[in-house]
mmCIF file with all atom_site columns, all heavy atoms in Angstrom:
data_model
loop_
_atom_site.group_PDB
_atom_site.id
_atom_site.type_symbol
_atom_site.label_atom_id
_atom_site.label_alt_id
_atom_site.label_comp_id
_atom_site.label_asym_id
_atom_site.label_entity_id
_atom_site.label_seq_id
_atom_site.pdbx_PDB_ins_code
_atom_site.Cartn_x
_atom_site.Cartn_y
_atom_site.Cartn_z
_atom_site.occupancy
_atom_site.B_iso_or_equiv
_atom_site.pdbx_formal_charge
_atom_site.auth_seq_id
_atom_site.auth_comp_id
_atom_site.auth_asym_id
_atom_site.auth_atom_id
_atom_site.pdbx_PDB_model_num
ATOM 1   N N   . SER M 1 85  ? -20.726 -5.790  -21.328 1.00 0.00 ? 178 SER M N   1
ATOM 2   C CA  . SER M 1 85  ? -21.326 -6.167  -20.029 1.00 0.00 ? 178 SER M CA  1
ATOM 3   C C   . SER M 1 85  ? -22.804 -6.203  -20.202 1.00 0.00 ? 178 SER M C   1
ATOM 4   O O   . SER M 1 85  ? -23.404 -5.907  -21.288 1.00 0.00 ? 178 SER M O   1
ATOM 5   C CB  . SER M 1 85  ? -20.901 -5.064  -19.051 1.00 0.00 ? 178 SER M CB  1
ATOM 6   O OG  . SER M 1 85  ? -21.352 -3.829  -19.445 1.00 0.00 ? 178 SER M OG  1
ATOM 7   N N   . TYR M 1 86  ? -23.508 -6.625  -19.135 1.00 0.00 ? 179 TYR M N   1
ATOM 8   C CA  . TYR M 1 86  ? -24.983 -6.595  -19.108 1.00 0.00 ? 179 TYR M CA  1
ATOM 9   C C   . TYR M 1 86  ? -25.440 -5.642  -18.127 1.00 0.00 ? 179 TYR M C   1
ATOM 10  O O   . TYR M 1 86  ? -24.716 -5.189  -17.251 1.00 0.00 ? 179 TYR M O   1
ATOM 11  C CB  . TYR M 1 86  ? -25.478 -8.027  -18.854 1.00 0.00 ? 179 TYR M CB  1
ATOM 12  C CG  . TYR M 1 86  ? -24.911 -8.594  -17.607 1.00 0.00 ? 179 TYR M CG  1
ATOM 13  C CD1 . TYR M 1 86  ? -25.515 -8.399  -16.352 1.00 0.00 ? 179 TYR M CD1 1
ATOM 14  C CD2 . TYR M 1 86  ? -23.775 -9.363  -17.596 1.00 0.00 ? 179 TYR M CD2 1
ATOM 15  C CE1 . TYR M 1 86  ? -25.047 -8.850  -15.194 1.00 0.00 ? 179 TYR M CE1 1
ATOM 16  C CE2 . TYR M 1 86  ? -23.215 -9.864  -16.367 1.00 0.00 ? 179 TYR M CE2 1
ATOM 17  C CZ  . TYR M 1 86  ? -23.886 -9.638  -15.223 1.00 0.00 ? 179 TYR M CZ  1
ATOM 18  O OH  . TYR M 1 86  ? -23.406 -10.166 -14.070 1.00 0.00 ? 179 TYR M OH  1
ATOM 19  N N   . PHE M 1 87  ? -26.750 -5.365  -18.191 1.00 0.00 ? 180 PHE M N   1
ATOM 20  C CA  . PHE M 1 87  ? -27.366 -4.341  -17.237 1.00 0.00 ? 180 PHE M CA  1
ATOM 21  C C   . PHE M 1 87  ? -27.120 -4.827  -15.815 1.00 0.00 ? 180 PHE M C   1
ATOM 22  O O   . PHE M 1 87  ? -27.381 -5.977  -15.434 1.00 0.00 ? 180 PHE M O   1
ATOM 23  C CB  . PHE M 1 87  ? -28.794 -4.169  -17.567 1.00 0.00 ? 180 PHE M CB  1
ATOM 24  C CG  . PHE M 1 87  ? -29.423 -3.130  -16.734 1.00 0.00 ? 180 PHE M CG  1
ATOM 25  C CD1 . PHE M 1 87  ? -29.226 -1.742  -17.023 1.00 0.00 ? 180 PHE M CD1 1
ATOM 26  C CD2 . PHE M 1 87  ? -30.234 -3.431  -15.567 1.00 0.00 ? 180 PHE M CD2 1
ATOM 27  C CE1 . PHE M 1 87  ? -29.759 -0.707  -16.270 1.00 0.00 ? 180 PHE M CE1 1
ATOM 28  C CE2 . PHE M 1 87  ? -30.789 -2.408  -14.798 1.00 0.00 ? 180 PHE M CE2 1
ATOM 29  C CZ  . PHE M 1 87  ? -30.531 -1.037  -15.130 1.00 0.00 ? 180 PHE M CZ  1
ATOM 30  N N   . GLY M 1 88  ? -26.596 -3.934  -14.994 1.00 0.00 ? 181 GLY M N   1
ATOM 31  C CA  . GLY M 1 88  ? -26.337 -4.244  -13.597 1.00 0.00 ? 181 GLY M CA  1
ATOM 32  C C   . GLY M 1 88  ? -24.949 -4.667  -13.250 1.00 0.00 ? 181 GLY M C   1
ATOM 33  O O   . GLY M 1 88  ? -24.502 -4.719  -12.116 1.00 0.00 ? 181 GLY M O   1
ATOM 34  N N   . GLU M 1 89  ? -24.159 -4.994  -14.260 1.00 0.00 ? 182 GLU M N   1
ATOM 35  C CA  . GLU M 1 89  ? -22.739 -5.394  -14.058 1.00 0.00 ? 182 GLU M CA  1
ATOM 36  C C   . GLU M 1 89  ? -21.951 -4.151  -13.853 1.00 0.00 ? 182 GLU M C   1
ATOM 37  O O   . GLU M 1 89  ? -22.153 -3.109  -14.464 1.00 0.00 ? 182 GLU M O   1
ATOM 38  C CB  . GLU M 1 89  ? -22.229 -6.154  -15.254 1.00 0.00 ? 182 GLU M CB  1
ATOM 39  C CG  . GLU M 1 89  ? -20.786 -6.624  -15.160 1.00 0.00 ? 182 GLU M CG  1
ATOM 40  C CD  . GLU M 1 89  ? -20.376 -7.398  -16.337 1.00 0.00 ? 182 GLU M CD  1
ATOM 41  O OE1 . GLU M 1 89  ? -21.018 -7.358  -17.430 1.00 0.00 ? 182 GLU M OE1 1
ATOM 42  O OE2 . GLU M 1 89  ? -19.328 -8.076  -16.240 1.00 0.00 ? 182 GLU M OE2 1
ATOM 43  N N   . ASN M 1 90  ? -21.009 -4.210  -12.875 1.00 0.00 ? 183 ASN M N   1
ATOM 44  C CA  . ASN M 1 90  ? -20.109 -3.080  -12.573 1.00 0.00 ? 183 ASN M CA  1
ATOM 45  C C   . ASN M 1 90  ? -18.646 -3.572  -12.790 1.00 0.00 ? 183 ASN M C   1
ATOM 46  O O   . ASN M 1 90  ? -18.305 -4.660  -12.475 1.00 0.00 ? 183 ASN M O   1
ATOM 47  C CB  . ASN M 1 90  ? -20.337 -2.565  -11.197 1.00 0.00 ? 183 ASN M CB  1
ATOM 48  C CG  . ASN M 1 90  ? -21.652 -1.903  -11.055 1.00 0.00 ? 183 ASN M CG  1
ATOM 49  O OD1 . ASN M 1 90  ? -21.925 -0.879  -11.651 1.00 0.00 ? 183 ASN M OD1 1
ATOM 50  N ND2 . ASN M 1 90  ? -22.532 -2.539  -10.257 1.00 0.00 ? 183 ASN M ND2 1
ATOM 51  N N   . ILE M 1 91  ? -17.810 -2.641  -13.278 1.00 0.00 ? 184 ILE M N   1
ATOM 52  C CA  . ILE M 1 91  ? -16.375 -2.890  -13.498 1.00 0.00 ? 184 ILE M CA  1
ATOM 53  C C   . ILE M 1 91  ? -15.540 -2.023  -12.559 1.00 0.00 ? 184 ILE M C   1
ATOM 54  O O   . ILE M 1 91  ? -15.851 -0.850  -12.321 1.00 0.00 ? 184 ILE M O   1
ATOM 55  C CB  . ILE M 1 91  ? -15.992 -2.599  -14.951 1.00 0.00 ? 184 ILE M CB  1
ATOM 56  C CG1 . ILE M 1 91  ? -16.917 -3.343  -15.961 1.00 0.00 ? 184 ILE M CG1 1
ATOM 57  C CG2 . ILE M 1 91  ? -14.545 -2.959  -15.225 1.00 0.00 ? 184 ILE M CG2 1
ATOM 58  C CD1 . ILE M 1 91  ? -16.917 -4.833  -15.807 1.00 0.00 ? 184 ILE M CD1 1
ATOM 59  N N   . PHE M 1 92  ? -14.506 -2.645  -11.999 1.00 0.00 ? 185 PHE M N   1
ATOM 60  C CA  . PHE M 1 92  ? -13.651 -1.998  -10.982 1.00 0.00 ? 185 PHE M CA  1
ATOM 61  C C   . PHE M 1 92  ? -12.215 -2.291  -11.358 1.00 0.00 ? 185 PHE M C   1
ATOM 62  O O   . PHE M 1 92  ? -11.926 -3.193  -12.063 1.00 0.00 ? 185 PHE M O   1
ATOM 63  C CB  . PHE M 1 92  ? -13.924 -2.560  -9.611  1.00 0.00 ? 185 PHE M CB  1
ATOM 64  C CG  . PHE M 1 92  ? -15.274 -2.263  -9.087  1.00 0.00 ? 185 PHE M CG  1
ATOM 65  C CD1 . PHE M 1 92  ? -16.356 -3.133  -9.359  1.00 0.00 ? 185 PHE M CD1 1
ATOM 66  C CD2 . PHE M 1 92  ? -15.572 -1.165  -8.345  1.00 0.00 ? 185 PHE M CD2 1
ATOM 67  C CE1 . PHE M 1 92  ? -17.581 -2.892  -8.886  1.00 0.00 ? 185 PHE M CE1 1
ATOM 68  C CE2 . PHE M 1 92  ? -16.833 -0.893  -7.850  1.00 0.00 ? 185 PHE M CE2 1
ATOM 69  C CZ  . PHE M 1 92  ? -17.892 -1.792  -8.131  1.00 0.00 ? 185 PHE M CZ  1
ATOM 70  N N   . VAL M 1 93  ? -11.301 -1.479  -10.791 1.00 0.00 ? 186 VAL M N   1
ATOM 71  C CA  . VAL M 1 93  ? -9.866  -1.816  -10.783 1.00 0.00 ? 186 VAL M CA  1
ATOM 72  C C   . VAL M 1 93  ? -9.473  -1.983  -9.348  1.00 0.00 ? 186 VAL M C   1
ATOM 73  O O   . VAL M 1 93  ? -9.849  -1.176  -8.461  1.00 0.00 ? 186 VAL M O   1
ATOM 74  C CB  . VAL M 1 93  ? -9.036  -0.692  -11.515 1.00 0.00 ? 186 VAL M CB  1
ATOM 75  C CG1 . VAL M 1 93  ? -9.159  0.665   -10.836 1.00 0.00 ? 186 VAL M CG1 1
ATOM 76  C CG2 . VAL M 1 93  ? -7.608  -1.107  -11.652 1.00 0.00 ? 186 VAL M CG2 1
ATOM 77  N N   . CYS M 1 94  ? -8.786  -3.088  -9.064  1.00 0.00 ? 187 CYS M N   1
ATOM 78  C CA  . CYS M 1 94  ? -8.390  -3.435  -7.708  1.00 0.00 ? 187 CYS M CA  1
ATOM 79  C C   . CYS M 1 94  ? -6.924  -3.789  -7.746  1.00 0.00 ? 187 CYS M C   1
ATOM 80  O O   . CYS M 1 94  ? -6.469  -4.517  -8.609  1.00 0.00 ? 187 CYS M O   1
ATOM 81  C CB  . CYS M 1 94  ? -9.259  -4.654  -7.250  1.00 0.00 ? 187 CYS M CB  1
ATOM 82  S SG  . CYS M 1 94  ? -9.139  -5.005  -5.524  1.00 0.00 ? 187 CYS M SG  1
ATOM 83  N N   . GLY M 1 95  ? -6.184  -3.358  -6.717  1.00 0.00 ? 188 GLY M N   1
ATOM 84  C CA  . GLY M 1 95  ? -4.707  -3.525  -6.733  1.00 0.00 ? 188 GLY M CA  1
ATOM 85  C C   . GLY M 1 95  ? -4.073  -3.586  -5.362  1.00 0.00 ? 188 GLY M C   1
ATOM 86  O O   . GLY M 1 95  ? -4.740  -3.736  -4.379  1.00 0.00 ? 188 GLY M O   1
ATOM 87  N N   . ASN M 1 96  ? -2.765  -3.497  -5.405  1.00 0.00 ? 189 ASN M N   1
ATOM 88  C CA  . ASN M 1 96  ? -1.931  -3.774  -4.229  1.00 0.00 ? 189 ASN M CA  1
ATOM 89  C C   . ASN M 1 96  ? -1.705  -2.566  -3.311  1.00 0.00 ? 189 ASN M C   1
ATOM 90  O O   . ASN M 1 96  ? -0.945  -2.731  -2.379  1.00 0.00 ? 189 ASN M O   1
ATOM 91  C CB  . ASN M 1 96  ? -0.580  -4.302  -4.754  1.00 0.00 ? 189 ASN M CB  1
ATOM 92  C CG  . ASN M 1 96  ? 0.233   -3.254  -5.433  1.00 0.00 ? 189 ASN M CG  1
ATOM 93  O OD1 . ASN M 1 96  ? -0.287  -2.438  -6.185  1.00 0.00 ? 189 ASN M OD1 1
ATOM 94  N ND2 . ASN M 1 96  ? 1.536   -3.301  -5.294  1.00 0.00 ? 189 ASN M ND2 1
ATOM 95  N N   . ILE M 1 97  ? -2.324  -1.490  -3.464  1.00 0.00 ? 190 ILE M N   1
ATOM 96  C CA  . ILE M 1 97  ? -2.078  -0.314  -2.601  1.00 0.00 ? 190 ILE M CA  1
ATOM 97  C C   . ILE M 1 97  ? -3.462  0.112   -2.040  1.00 0.00 ? 190 ILE M C   1
ATOM 98  O O   . ILE M 1 97  ? -4.546  -0.235  -2.600  1.00 0.00 ? 190 ILE M O   1
ATOM 99  C CB  . ILE M 1 97  ? -1.424  0.831   -3.236  1.00 0.00 ? 190 ILE M CB  1
ATOM 100 C CG1 . ILE M 1 97  ? -2.204  1.409   -4.441  1.00 0.00 ? 190 ILE M CG1 1
ATOM 101 C CG2 . ILE M 1 97  ? 0.022   0.466   -3.689  1.00 0.00 ? 190 ILE M CG2 1
ATOM 102 C CD1 . ILE M 1 97  ? -1.640  2.691   -5.027  1.00 0.00 ? 190 ILE M CD1 1
ATOM 103 N N   . ASP M 1 98  ? -3.451  0.872   -0.918  1.00 0.00 ? 191 ASP M N   1
ATOM 104 C CA  . ASP M 1 98  ? -4.673  1.299   -0.285  1.00 0.00 ? 191 ASP M CA  1
ATOM 105 C C   . ASP M 1 98  ? -5.638  1.983   -1.224  1.00 0.00 ? 191 ASP M C   1
ATOM 106 O O   . ASP M 1 98  ? -6.881  1.737   -1.241  1.00 0.00 ? 191 ASP M O   1
ATOM 107 C CB  . ASP M 1 98  ? -4.404  2.254   0.881   1.00 0.00 ? 191 ASP M CB  1
ATOM 108 C CG  . ASP M 1 98  ? -3.767  1.567   2.069   1.00 0.00 ? 191 ASP M CG  1
ATOM 109 O OD1 . ASP M 1 98  ? -3.991  0.330   2.192   1.00 0.00 ? 191 ASP M OD1 1
ATOM 110 O OD2 . ASP M 1 98  ? -3.104  2.256   2.892   1.00 0.00 ? 191 ASP M OD2 1
ATOM 111 N N   . GLU M 1 99  ? -5.079  2.848   -2.108  1.00 0.00 ? 192 GLU M N   1
ATOM 112 C CA  . GLU M 1 99  ? -5.930  3.651   -3.018  1.00 0.00 ? 192 GLU M CA  1
ATOM 113 C C   . GLU M 1 99  ? -6.599  2.776   -4.084  1.00 0.00 ? 192 GLU M C   1
ATOM 114 O O   . GLU M 1 99  ? -7.566  3.164   -4.693  1.00 0.00 ? 192 GLU M O   1
ATOM 115 C CB  . GLU M 1 99  ? -5.061  4.641   -3.768  1.00 0.00 ? 192 GLU M CB  1
ATOM 116 C CG  . GLU M 1 99  ? -4.478  5.774   -2.898  1.00 0.00 ? 192 GLU M CG  1
ATOM 117 C CD  . GLU M 1 99  ? -3.188  5.349   -2.096  1.00 0.00 ? 192 GLU M CD  1
ATOM 118 O OE1 . GLU M 1 99  ? -2.738  4.215   -2.204  1.00 0.00 ? 192 GLU M OE1 1
ATOM 119 O OE2 . GLU M 1 99  ? -2.644  6.185   -1.437  1.00 0.00 ? 192 GLU M OE2 1
ATOM 120 N N   . LEU M 1 100 ? -6.162  1.501   -4.242  1.00 0.00 ? 193 LEU M N   1
ATOM 121 C CA  . LEU M 1 100 ? -6.808  0.587   -5.154  1.00 0.00 ? 193 LEU M CA  1
ATOM 122 C C   . LEU M 1 100 ? -7.448  -0.641  -4.414  1.00 0.00 ? 193 LEU M C   1
ATOM 123 O O   . LEU M 1 100 ? -7.807  -1.618  -4.965  1.00 0.00 ? 193 LEU M O   1
ATOM 124 C CB  . LEU M 1 100 ? -5.804  0.017   -6.193  1.00 0.00 ? 193 LEU M CB  1
ATOM 125 C CG  . LEU M 1 100 ? -5.228  1.060   -7.077  1.00 0.00 ? 193 LEU M CG  1
ATOM 126 C CD1 . LEU M 1 100 ? -4.157  0.382   -8.005  1.00 0.00 ? 193 LEU M CD1 1
ATOM 127 C CD2 . LEU M 1 100 ? -6.314  1.817   -7.930  1.00 0.00 ? 193 LEU M CD2 1
ATOM 128 N N   . GLY M 1 101 ? -7.632  -0.441  -3.088  1.00 0.00 ? 194 GLY M N   1
ATOM 129 C CA  . GLY M 1 101 ? -8.349  -1.446  -2.287  1.00 0.00 ? 194 GLY M CA  1
ATOM 130 C C   . GLY M 1 101 ? -7.504  -2.559  -1.645  1.00 0.00 ? 194 GLY M C   1
ATOM 131 O O   . GLY M 1 101 ? -8.077  -3.398  -0.942  1.00 0.00 ? 194 GLY M O   1
ATOM 132 N N   . ASN M 1 102 ? -6.185  -2.545  -1.921  1.00 0.00 ? 195 ASN M N   1
ATOM 133 C CA  . ASN M 1 102 ? -5.358  -3.672  -1.350  1.00 0.00 ? 195 ASN M CA  1
ATOM 134 C C   . ASN M 1 102 ? -5.939  -5.016  -1.606  1.00 0.00 ? 195 ASN M C   1
ATOM 135 O O   . ASN M 1 102 ? -6.052  -5.869  -0.673  1.00 0.00 ? 195 ASN M O   1
ATOM 136 C CB  . ASN M 1 102 ? -5.131  -3.475  0.186   1.00 0.00 ? 195 ASN M CB  1
ATOM 137 C CG  . ASN M 1 102 ? -3.900  -2.623  0.473   1.00 0.00 ? 195 ASN M CG  1
ATOM 138 O OD1 . ASN M 1 102 ? -2.935  -2.603  -0.327  1.00 0.00 ? 195 ASN M OD1 1
ATOM 139 N ND2 . ASN M 1 102 ? -4.012  -1.883  1.510   1.00 0.00 ? 195 ASN M ND2 1
ATOM 140 N N   . TRP M 1 103 ? -6.377  -5.255  -2.830  1.00 0.00 ? 196 TRP M N   1
ATOM 141 C CA  . TRP M 1 103 ? -6.966  -6.524  -3.315  1.00 0.00 ? 196 TRP M CA  1
ATOM 142 C C   . TRP M 1 103 ? -8.286  -6.845  -2.680  1.00 0.00 ? 196 TRP M C   1
ATOM 143 O O   . TRP M 1 103 ? -8.778  -7.982  -2.774  1.00 0.00 ? 196 TRP M O   1
ATOM 144 C CB  . TRP M 1 103 ? -5.945  -7.660  -3.127  1.00 0.00 ? 196 TRP M CB  1
ATOM 145 C CG  . TRP M 1 103 ? -4.661  -7.497  -3.864  1.00 0.00 ? 196 TRP M CG  1
ATOM 146 C CD1 . TRP M 1 103 ? -3.437  -7.356  -3.322  1.00 0.00 ? 196 TRP M CD1 1
ATOM 147 C CD2 . TRP M 1 103 ? -4.473  -7.435  -5.260  1.00 0.00 ? 196 TRP M CD2 1
ATOM 148 N NE1 . TRP M 1 103 ? -2.545  -7.209  -4.320  1.00 0.00 ? 196 TRP M NE1 1
ATOM 149 C CE2 . TRP M 1 103 ? -3.160  -7.222  -5.512  1.00 0.00 ? 196 TRP M CE2 1
ATOM 150 C CE3 . TRP M 1 103 ? -5.371  -7.528  -6.392  1.00 0.00 ? 196 TRP M CE3 1
ATOM 151 C CZ2 . TRP M 1 103 ? -2.617  -7.134  -6.803  1.00 0.00 ? 196 TRP M CZ2 1
ATOM 152 C CZ3 . TRP M 1 103 ? -4.845  -7.374  -7.636  1.00 0.00 ? 196 TRP M CZ3 1
ATOM 153 C CH2 . TRP M 1 103 ? -3.468  -7.201  -7.822  1.00 0.00 ? 196 TRP M CH2 1
ATOM 154 N N   . ASP M 1 104 ? -8.954  -5.915  -2.022  1.00 0.00 ? 197 ASP M N   1
ATOM 155 C CA  . ASP M 1 104 ? -10.261 -6.093  -1.472  1.00 0.00 ? 197 ASP M CA  1
ATOM 156 C C   . ASP M 1 104 ? -11.255 -5.420  -2.470  1.00 0.00 ? 197 ASP M C   1
ATOM 157 O O   . ASP M 1 104 ? -11.238 -4.250  -2.597  1.00 0.00 ? 197 ASP M O   1
ATOM 158 C CB  . ASP M 1 104 ? -10.330 -5.379  -0.093  1.00 0.00 ? 197 ASP M CB  1
ATOM 159 C CG  . ASP M 1 104 ? -11.663 -5.508  0.569   1.00 0.00 ? 197 ASP M CG  1
ATOM 160 O OD1 . ASP M 1 104 ? -12.686 -5.916  -0.076  1.00 0.00 ? 197 ASP M OD1 1
ATOM 161 O OD2 . ASP M 1 104 ? -11.793 -5.197  1.771   1.00 0.00 ? 197 ASP M OD2 1
ATOM 162 N N   . THR M 1 105 ? -12.062 -6.215  -3.121  1.00 0.00 ? 198 THR M N   1
ATOM 163 C CA  . THR M 1 105 ? -12.943 -5.712  -4.193  1.00 0.00 ? 198 THR M CA  1
ATOM 164 C C   . THR M 1 105 ? -13.916 -4.767  -3.627  1.00 0.00 ? 198 THR M C   1
ATOM 165 O O   . THR M 1 105 ? -14.465 -3.912  -4.366  1.00 0.00 ? 198 THR M O   1
ATOM 166 C CB  . THR M 1 105 ? -13.685 -6.880  -4.950  1.00 0.00 ? 198 THR M CB  1
ATOM 167 O OG1 . THR M 1 105 ? -14.401 -7.667  -3.987  1.00 0.00 ? 198 THR M OG1 1
ATOM 168 C CG2 . THR M 1 105 ? -12.692 -7.712  -5.659  1.00 0.00 ? 198 THR M CG2 1
ATOM 169 N N   . SER M 1 106 ? -14.338 -4.865  -2.335  1.00 0.00 ? 199 SER M N   1
ATOM 170 C CA  . SER M 1 106 ? -15.272 -3.826  -1.749  1.00 0.00 ? 199 SER M CA  1
ATOM 171 C C   . SER M 1 106 ? -14.672 -2.494  -1.624  1.00 0.00 ? 199 SER M C   1
ATOM 172 O O   . SER M 1 106 ? -15.452 -1.542  -1.414  1.00 0.00 ? 199 SER M O   1
ATOM 173 C CB  . SER M 1 106 ? -15.801 -4.399  -0.434  1.00 0.00 ? 199 SER M CB  1
ATOM 174 O OG  . SER M 1 106 ? -14.741 -4.346  0.589   1.00 0.00 ? 199 SER M OG  1
ATOM 175 N N   . LYS M 1 107 ? -13.380 -2.389  -1.813  1.00 0.00 ? 200 LYS M N   1
ATOM 176 C CA  . LYS M 1 107 ? -12.693 -1.077  -1.645  1.00 0.00 ? 200 LYS M CA  1
ATOM 177 C C   . LYS M 1 107 ? -12.052 -0.650  -3.026  1.00 0.00 ? 200 LYS M C   1
ATOM 178 O O   . LYS M 1 107 ? -11.316 0.317   -3.089  1.00 0.00 ? 200 LYS M O   1
ATOM 179 C CB  . LYS M 1 107 ? -11.591 -1.138  -0.592  1.00 0.00 ? 200 LYS M CB  1
ATOM 180 C CG  . LYS M 1 107 ? -12.173 -1.415  0.756   1.00 0.00 ? 200 LYS M CG  1
ATOM 181 C CD  . LYS M 1 107 ? -11.027 -1.555  1.803   1.00 0.00 ? 200 LYS M CD  1
ATOM 182 C CE  . LYS M 1 107 ? -11.552 -1.908  3.151   1.00 0.00 ? 200 LYS M CE  1
ATOM 183 N NZ  . LYS M 1 107 ? -10.533 -2.157  4.126   1.00 0.00 ? 200 LYS M NZ  1
#
Side-chain angles (χ1 to χ4, degrees):
S178 59
Y179 55 87
F180 185 76
E182 181 179 15
N183 292 294
I184 307 299
F185 297 87
V186 61
C187 192
N189 68 323
I190 61 174
D191 289 337
E192 294 83 354
L193 298 178
N195 271 328
W196 300 114
D197 180 349
T198 57
S199 68
K200 297 176 183 175

